[in-house]
Amino acid sequence: VPHFSSGGAGGGYPGVPLTQPLPGLPAPAFAAVDGQEKFETRVTALDGGLRVASQNKFGQFCTVGVLINSGSRHETKYLSGISHFLEKLAFSSTAQFGSKDEILLTLEKHGGICDCQASRDTTMYAVSAEAKGLDTVVNLLADVVLQPRLSDEEIEMTRLAIRFELEDLNMRPDPEPLLTEMIHAAAYRDNTVGLNRFCPVENIEKMDRKILHSYLKNYYTPDRMVLAGVGIEHEQLVECAKKYLLGVNPVWGSAKSKDIDRSVAQYTGGIIKVEKDMSNVSLGPTPIPELTHIMIGLESCSFLEDDFIPFAVLNMMMGGGGSFSAGGPGKGMFTRLYLNVLNRHHWMYNATSYHHSYEDTGLLCIHASADPKQVREMVEILTKEFVLMSGTVGEVELERAKTQLKSMLMMNLESRPVIFEDVGRQVLATSTRKLPHELCDLINNVKASDIKRVVTKMLRNKPAVAALGDLTELPTYEHIQAALSSKDGQLPRMYRLFR
């Protein structure tokens, strides 16, 4: 090995190798991670059932929030659209804060931002701010969740906002949110996750404070809540929770919640069709061609079951995307929906796989779009892909899908808000958290036989179908069902005299 001395241009100590410490310098102190224990998720349950979960992380900012086991799936006995209203009304005036502006100014003192998101099963109020402002932030969150004023003026503003959002949803060139709504409604007809996530137009005017309070009384209870934080000390968060959330009387009174809907999702399967003239969706110098959109889904499993991991790998393996996206291997161009569908059928505009998962059910679906004249062919291509899932799974494509899933998981969990949501949702569902390396081990263990097993089970069920656009060429639901239970996924042949 050449012996570099630091003589020459730099001056210094001639003849002393760089491996020897220089005389007179203090010994360096290296940063060390003292085991993983400082960075494990810690969970504390308080009286009344509120759980406090935290994860330490370097950096001066933290993300803290309250996750509530409440969403559109719980609206069976109520006016549909409550969660949608509550999401829009979040961070408005409360007992302590006179207006939304006051809340934003308070947060700005700590460089903070706030956000509320409602999904089908969870509502999440979150704040990202400097860790120094933790006390202020938890106080504010407690007020926003338990003491909102819900003034007539605010409710009126929310009505306008929701009206606008619904109009926007129907005008968007990308109908994916709309199709997701439709496929859920088809798969779980009139129950739990099949209930409408957006407020139906006819309910906008009916919504008032009394209805919201009757719902909040039942669902915004401590045993259905998790206070989660990332980037803070666990003890501090527990102290703040005791101070601001424990034994607080909410504005709607603290009567015991009477009727909580604990019904389990019932998968029904079925079809929902919306005939829609899509020719005017995108006006402009180069209008997007008129397309018909199809989504076909089958029941997978809940995220609490072991089969959830094979389904996640399968979803990665199907992959897909738009026909416009070009690029190399890193862009998922080796997924089945690219290789078998988009690369072979130039007339398909989109083929993408999605996996929705809940605590008691799941839905694996493929969304595709093409020219209305080609709908029949497009549906057959999808049914063939579903049937092929139960065939042989190549070693290379399986490994690739597993690696992609792991890297996506690890990359997403680099960001603080994503860690926050992961901690919150896992603790809300199971009171514990599986760490990323545990999930990676589970992904590594998935074998081709697991994929085959979960798909075979999935294909025994009736499909859920959502169709949007010009549907003259759409095969009947019975034919789609027959194709999915056939050996090769082909639609029954139709003989027509006049083509």
Side-chain angles (χ1 to χ4, degrees):
V1 179
H3 170 101
F4 293 110
S5 71
S6 48
Y13 298 87
V16 179
L18 290 177
T19 47
Q20 283 180 22
L22 297 175
L25 276 185
F30 294 104
V33 179
D34 323 334
Q36 275 304 117
E37 49 278 0
K38 277 198 173 168
F39 294 92
E40 275 185 15
T41 310
R42 295 182 54 191
V43 183
T44 303
L46 302 180
D47 303 344
L50 173 78
R51 284 155 293 176
V52 181
S54 79
Q55 172 97 8
N56 213 333
K57 191 181 191 302
F58 291 111
Q60 57 172 15
F61 276 80
C62 65
T63 300
V64 183
V66 176
L67 288 93
I68 305 162
N69 188 359
S70 147
S72 56
R73 70 171 293 165
H74 301 105
E75 290 173 9
T76 328
K77 301 181 179 143
Y78 295 91
L79 196 60
S80 170
I82 291 179
S83 306
H84 195 186
F85 261 80
L86 291 171
E87 173 187 38
K88 294 274 172 280
L89 283 161
F91 295 101
S92 299
S93 64
T94 67
Q96 288 178 47
F97 300 92
S99 67
K100 190 165 201 151
D101 290 350
E102 229 174 281
I103 289 183
L104 296 178
L105 281 170
T106 308
L107 284 173
E108 265 171 32
K109 291 194 180 78
H110 300 285
I113 50 169
C114 62
D115 179 35
C116 173
Q117 286 179 7
S119 63
R120 292 176 189 281
D121 53 2
T122 314
T123 303
M124 170 167 89
Y125 296 81
V127 169
S128 288
E130 270 186 319
K132 296 199 294 282
L134 185 66
D135 195 81
T136 316
V137 166
V138 177
N139 175 22
L140 185 142
L141 279 165
D143 222 41
V144 163
V145 173
L146 298 172
Q147 315 280 345
R149 288 191 195 171
L150 306 178
S151 70
D152 298 344
E153 193 184 355
E154 286 167 344
I155 289 176
E156 191 47 55
M157 287 304 288
T158 304
R159 287 191 184 119
L160 285 172
I162 285 180
R163 273 224 161 78
F164 176 76
E165 190 177 348
L166 293 179
E167 276 174 33
D168 180 55
L169 200 66
N170 285 316
M171 284 305 292
R172 275 194 198 155
D174 171 29
E176 203 271 318
L178 209 56
L179 279 162
T180 302
E181 277 307 298
M182 288 163 63
I183 196 106
H184 277 82
Y188 307 94
R189 178 142 307 147
D190 299 331
N191 75 85
T192 57
V193 291
L195 299 172
N196 203 333
R197 218 189 98 198
F198 300 104
C199 182
V201 178
E202 62 274 14
N203 290 356
I204 295 179
E205 284 308 315
K206 298 180 194 161
M207 204 61 75
D208 61 21
R209 192 187 304 106
K210 189 161 161 250
I211 293 175
L212 294 172
H213 275 184
S214 75
Y215 176 87
L216 289 163
K217 190 188 281 130
N218 279 321
Y219 290 98
Y220 276 39
T221 54
D223 56 310
R224 302 178 70 85
M225 290 184 190
V226 167
L227 173 68
V230 173
I232 32 146
E233 295 288 335
H234 187 70
E235 283 71 24
Q236 258 186 304
L237 191 60
V238 172
E239 280 316 303
C240 289
K242 286 179 177 164
K243 190 162 150 192
Y244 297 116
L245 282 159
L246 207 57
V248 172
N249 262 347
V251 66
W252 45 84
S254 60
K256 266 272 163 270
S257 50
K258 296 183 291 293
D259 47 351
I260 287 175
D261 179 27
R262 298 194 192 282
S263 48
V264 173
Q266 299 299 314
Y267 180 86
T268 58
I271 185 165
I272 287 193
K273 300 191 273 200
V274 176
E275 286 271 359
K276 189 173 162 199
D277 178 14
M278 307 283 275
S279 52
N280 63 351
V281 166
S282 60
L283 301 166
T286 48
I288 301 175
E290 184 185 343
L291 300 175
T292 294
H293 296 266
I294 303 286
M295 204 181 250
I296 298 180
L298 286 160
E299 187 178 26
S300 57
C301 70
S302 90
F303 56 66
L304 299 174
E305 293 172 58
D306 294 341
D307 283 349
F308 172 64
I309 304 286
F311 271 117
V313 174
L314 172 66
N315 180 45
M316 266 317 214
M317 194 173 84
M318 298 311 292
S323 60
F324 182 72
S325 172
K331 292 191 72 177
M333 303 308 260
F334 278 104
T335 55
R336 283 193 178 184
L337 293 178
Y338 267 114
L339 291 179
N340 303 354
V341 178
L342 292 164
N343 294 356
R344 291 188 188 171
H345 307 283
H346 64 91
W347 45 268
M348 297 252 309
Y349 277 79
N350 190 320
T352 317
S353 171
Y354 296 94
H355 189 211
H356 304 278
S357 210
Y358 305 96
E359 60 186 357
D360 48 4
T361 182
L363 196 60
L364 183 83
C365 24
I366 299 180
H367 164 209
S369 57
D371 185 275
K373 292 193 225 23
Q374 260 138 340
V375 171
R376 190 184 160 80
E377 215 177 326
M378 163 165 79
V379 170
E380 188 167 68
I381 287 167
L382 292 192
T383 53
K384 282 179 174 170
E385 279 306 313
F386 269 112
V387 173
L388 277 172
M389 288 181 198
S390 64
T392 41
V393 175
E395 196 50 44
V396 176
E397 65 172 342
L398 181 64
E399 280 311 307
R400 189 183 280 126
K402 282 156 67 167
T403 308
Q404 252 185 312
L405 183 60
K406 284 183 294 187
S407 64
M408 195 180 83
L409 177 77
M410 299 312 261
M411 286 178 201
N412 286 340
L413 286 171
E414 291 278 291
S415 94
R416 197 183 56 246
V418 177
I419 302 175
F420 157 77
E421 191 173 338
D422 184 51
V423 170
R425 282 181 188 276
Q426 284 202 52
V427 172
L428 194 57
T430 63
S431 295
T432 57
R433 174 175 187 234
K434 275 200 175 89
L435 291 169
H437 65 87
E438 297 173 62
L439 290 166
C440 283
D441 291 345
L442 290 170
I443 295 169
N444 283 333
N445 293 337
V446 174
K447 295 190 260 322
S449 56
D450 296 321
I451 303 280
K452 196 166 177 146
R453 177 176 50 83
V454 299
V455 173
T456 309
K457 189 175 147 200
M458 173 175 81
L459 285 169
R460 287 193 199 122
N461 237 325
K462 288 168 58 177
V465 182
L468 177 70
D470 171 354
L471 308 178
T472 22
E473 294 289 315
L474 182 72
T476 63
Y477 177 75
E478 290 67 31
H479 279 186
I480 296 174
Q481 196 176 347
L484 284 168
S485 44
S486 70
K487 281 192 179 63
D488 54 5
Q490 285 198 351
L491 287 165
R493 288 288 150 246
M494 284 168 59
Y495 299 102
R496 282 189 273 175
L497 281 172
F498 305 104
R499 259 290 190 228

